[in-house]
Amino acid sequence: MPGRPKSTSFIVEEDELLTDEEILAEDWRLTQLIAETTRIESTLQWCARHRLIANRMICENCDDFGTLNRLSRRQDFYEWRCSHCNRSHTIRSKSIFESSNLSLQQILLIIYFWSNNHLQQTTVHELNVSNHTIIEWFSLLRELCEESVTQFNEELGGIDYMNNPITVEIDESYFFHRKYHRGRFTGGQWVFWGDWAWFKQMPNKTSSR
């Protein structure tokens, strides 16, 4: 990585990792995101800071820290390798990117288009990927949001800091299920969701969107 040894045990410094509140407070533009993810090194750093990939690797075999090494034959030109037992892991291990053949930048841009309510066909055209790929990714992102919503159990509304009742605008969506994010849709449930601007101000929360 720029300015660091060729082999290191982390992608970014620990104090560079963003909190949930810091991530939710960001307001990205497409040109910014493209500029941040043009080079693989800066893309890995961006993903690590936003905790989309592991910043460090602990070997499951010997509990030793792995080192980050550049390797041209790897998909993202880097890999984690345990210095003790020599086992290796991809940069994408146990992340949303793990099973995809798309570049990290392409996936991040798909997430950007989806989160900004762009049409599927617009995303297909802009990223020059197949319609099937975009449908799969858009479906996966909706499912991840569903999982996040079902885990969120705090009461909406209440009293604000001036002791006035809070009015929460809600919307509803119908979520379908697919086993392991594949195959036909089965079952489903209605989910009612509160005002996003108000939710962003709540403490101790996580979100996939």
Side-chain angles (χ1 to χ4, degrees), residues 32-44:
Q32 288 179 287
L33 185 58
I34 292 174
E36 287 276 352
T37 58
T38 298
R39 298 174 60 253
I40 185 59
E41 288 82 7
S42 61
T43 303
L44 295 180

Side-chain angles (χ1 to χ4, degrees), residues 7-205:
S7 295
T8 180
S9 60
F10 52 85
I11 299 176
V12 297
E13 300 286 353
E14 290 294 314
D15 60 6
E16 294 183 55
L17 301 179
L18 301 176
T19 65
D20 292 340
E21 287 74 19
E22 288 173 328
I23 292 172
L24 288 171
E26 292 183 327
D27 185 19
W28 283 86
R29 297 293 184 267
L30 182 59
T31 52
Q32 288 179 287
L33 185 58
I34 292 174
E36 287 276 352
T37 58
T38 298
R39 298 174 60 253
I40 185 59
E41 288 82 7
S42 61
T43 303
L44 295 180
Q45 291 170 357
W46 194 95
C47 290
R49 281 196 300 272
H50 290 79
R51 293 180 285 118
L52 294 174
I53 58 175
N55 189 46
R56 306 186 77 176
M57 188 275 283
I58 300 178
C59 181
E60 296 177 350
N61 184 50
C62 60
D63 291 329
D64 197 9
F65 281 111
T67 56
L68 183 65
N69 302 282
R70 187 171 179 87
L71 197 65
S72 58
R73 69 172 180 268
R74 280 291 193 182
Q75 184 178 17
D76 301 304
F77 304 105
Y78 282 90
E79 70 171 9
W80 292 112
R81 183 168 293 276
C82 177
S83 55
H84 186 263
C85 68
N86 208 37
R87 286 195 176 187
S88 64
H89 298 273
T90 70
I91 291 294
R92 304 184 182 206
S93 181
K94 298 180 180 180
S95 76
I96 190 177
F97 311 110
E98 187 169 18
S99 300
S100 178
N101 292 321
L102 297 176
S103 71
L104 292 175
Q105 186 190 54
Q106 284 178 307
I107 299 172
L108 291 174
L109 291 175
I110 288 173
I111 296 172
Y112 176 88
F113 283 126
W114 176 81
S115 64
N116 283 279
N117 298 315
H118 286 255
L119 297 175
Q120 291 180 357
Q121 289 303 318
T122 301
T123 309
V124 168
H125 173 76
E126 293 295 332
L127 300 183
N128 194 28
V129 295
S130 71
N131 190 59
H132 173 76
T133 296
I134 297 304
I135 290 174
E136 286 292 305
W137 270 103
F138 275 29
S139 297
L140 172 59
L141 293 169
R142 283 193 296 269
E143 290 171 33
L144 291 174
C145 276
E146 176 192 355
E147 293 173 9
S148 178
V149 168
T150 56
Q151 292 171 8
F152 178 76
N153 58 8
E154 292 192 38
E155 180 182 356
L156 298 179
I159 304 298
D160 65 16
Y161 69 97
M162 296 184 66
N163 207 35
N164 296 317
I166 296 174
T167 301
V168 180
E169 296 182 9
I170 65 171
D171 199 358
E172 73 281 345
S173 297
Y174 192 71
F175 288 95
F176 294 89
H177 294 272
R178 291 190 302 167
K179 190 173 183 181
Y180 306 119
H181 308 300
R182 297 181 179 275
R184 65 187 181 88
F185 291 97
T186 59
Q189 64 184 35
W190 285 100
V191 173
F192 294 86
W193 195 240
D195 177 71
W196 178 248
W198 174 80
F199 173 70
K200 286 177 66 176
Q201 300 173 20
M202 296 182 62
N204 303 320
K205 63 204 171 292

